[in-house]
């Protein structure tokens, strides 16, 4: 026996759907260890280690010398921020907006900049050991004298970036773009990127996991 249920027809329009905002409540004012989290704040040498700063708006903030190790800065707005000499070791900066930010002389060992927007940011003399900049947009960024040791630059867009006097050692650059990048004096940079064979094509073993060794 088939039971028929009456059809329910509703005229649904896109504008009828509720707008869902995933907004985490923050205190007002938002203060961490004496530092007010807001645009143009002045928090030199502030202790913000392990701080939850997701989605924070710190545009044009002065965070020179701040301790931000292991801080969570995912999706944060750090455009134009001064983070010169800051400690960002192990910090999370996925999809952070950092155009024109000053990170010169900063230490960022193991930091995660995956898909970050760092166009024209200044990383001069920075330590990016074991950091990940995978898929980051770094057009026109300055990395002169920076250290890329075991750094992940896969799919990083380095159009017109300044890599002069930088150090590349053990860097993963598969599908990275170095178009018009300045590499004068850079040790280990792919100097022939625009004219030679792709590094992963020339020596695939350098960029792919090694085959397991089978003992006889």
């Amino acid at each position: 026996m088939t039971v028929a249920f009456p059809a329910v027809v509703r005229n649904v329009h896109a504008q009828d759907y509720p707008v869902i905002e995933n907004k985490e409540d923050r205190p007002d004012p938002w203060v961490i260890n004496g530092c007010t989290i807001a645009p143009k704040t002045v928090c030199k040498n502030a202790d913000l280690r392990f701080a939850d700063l997701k989605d924070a708006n710190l545009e044009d903030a002065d965070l020179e010398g701040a301790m931000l190790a292991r801080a969570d800065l995912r999706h944060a707005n750090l455009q134009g921020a001064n983070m010169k000499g800051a400690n960002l070791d192990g910090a999370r900066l996925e999809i952070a907006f950092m155009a024109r930010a000053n990170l010169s002389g900063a230490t960022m060992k193991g930091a995660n900049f995956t898909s970050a927007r760092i166009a024209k940011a200044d990383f001069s003399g920075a330590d990016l050991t074991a950091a990940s900049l995978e898929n980051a947009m770094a057009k026109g960024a300055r990395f002169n004298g920076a250290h890329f040791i075991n750094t992940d630059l896969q799919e990083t867009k380095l159009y017109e970036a300044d890599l002069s006097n930088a150090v590349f050692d053990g860097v993963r650059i598969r599908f990275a773009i170095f178009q018009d990048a300045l590499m004068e004096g850079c040790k280990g940079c792919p100097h022939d990127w625009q004219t030679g064979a792709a590094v992963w094509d020339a020596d695939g073993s350098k960029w792919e996991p090694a085959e397991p060794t089978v003992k006889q």
Side-chain angles (χ1 to χ4, degrees), residues 70-146:
R70 301 285 182 182
D72 190 343
L73 287 154
R74 286 175 291 171
H75 318 129
N77 180 3
L78 291 158
Q79 296 182 92
N82 176 20
M83 305 173 80
K84 183 178 180 180
N87 186 330
L88 288 148
D89 290 348
R92 298 195 62 181
L93 294 130
E94 297 100 310
I95 321 180
F97 298 90
M98 305 178 71
R100 308 181 317 282
N102 182 359
L103 294 111
S104 58
T107 174
M108 290 165 275
K109 298 173 184 174
N112 191 343
F113 290 87
T114 298
S115 299
R117 299 297 183 255
I118 55 177
K120 297 186 178 180
D122 188 353
F123 290 82
S124 299
D127 188 348
L128 289 152
T129 298
S132 174
L133 283 80
E134 185 174 350
N135 195 40
M137 176 57 74
K139 182 177 180 180
R142 296 183 62 190
F143 295 99
N144 49 309

Side-chain angles (χ1 to χ4, degrees), residues 9 15 24 26 30 64 68 70-71 95 158 161 174 188 193 197 207 213 215:
V9 180
Q15 60 267 29
E24 186 175 351
R26 302 290 193 181
W30 184 5
E64 183 175 350
L68 287 152
R70 301 285 182 182
I95 321 180
L158 290 153
R174 189 174 179 86
W193 184 86
W207 311 108
T213 302
K215 293 183 179 180

Side-chain angles (χ1 to χ4, degrees), residues 1-5:
M1 179 179 179
T2 303
V3 179
F5 292 94

Side-chain angles (χ1 to χ4, degrees), residues 123-202:
F123 290 82
S124 299
D127 188 348
L128 289 152
T129 298
S132 174
L133 283 80
E134 185 174 350
N135 195 40
M137 176 57 74
K139 182 177 180 180
R142 296 183 62 190
F143 295 99
N144 49 309
H147 282 68
F148 295 88
I149 312 298
N150 298 325
T151 307
D152 188 351
L153 291 178
Q154 295 184 101
E155 300 187 59
T156 306
K157 284 71 174 176
L158 290 153
Y159 299 96
E160 303 169 11
D162 182 359
L163 296 165
S164 57
N165 301 311
V167 177
F168 275 47
D169 188 2
V171 180
R172 296 178 63 85
I173 62 170
R174 189 174 179 86
F175 302 131
I177 297 174
F178 293 89
Q179 185 173 328
D180 298 324
L182 177 63
M183 300 183 189
E184 184 177 355
C186 176
K187 180 181 178 181
C189 273
H191 293 274
D192 62 347
W193 184 86
Q194 294 188 138
T195 57
V199 177
W200 50 87
D201 289 336

Side-chain angles (χ1 to χ4, degrees), residues 30-37 42-53 58 62-73 86-89:
W30 184 5
V31 181
I32 300 177
N33 284 347
C35 176
T36 300
I37 309 303
V42 178
C43 294
K44 290 184 177 181
N45 304 310
D47 187 352
L48 297 169
R49 290 173 293 179
F50 300 95
D52 180 0
L53 296 167
L58 287 161
D62 188 350
L63 295 165
E64 183 175 350
M67 293 180 287
L68 287 152
R70 301 285 182 182
D72 190 343
L73 287 154
N87 186 330
L88 288 148
D89 290 348

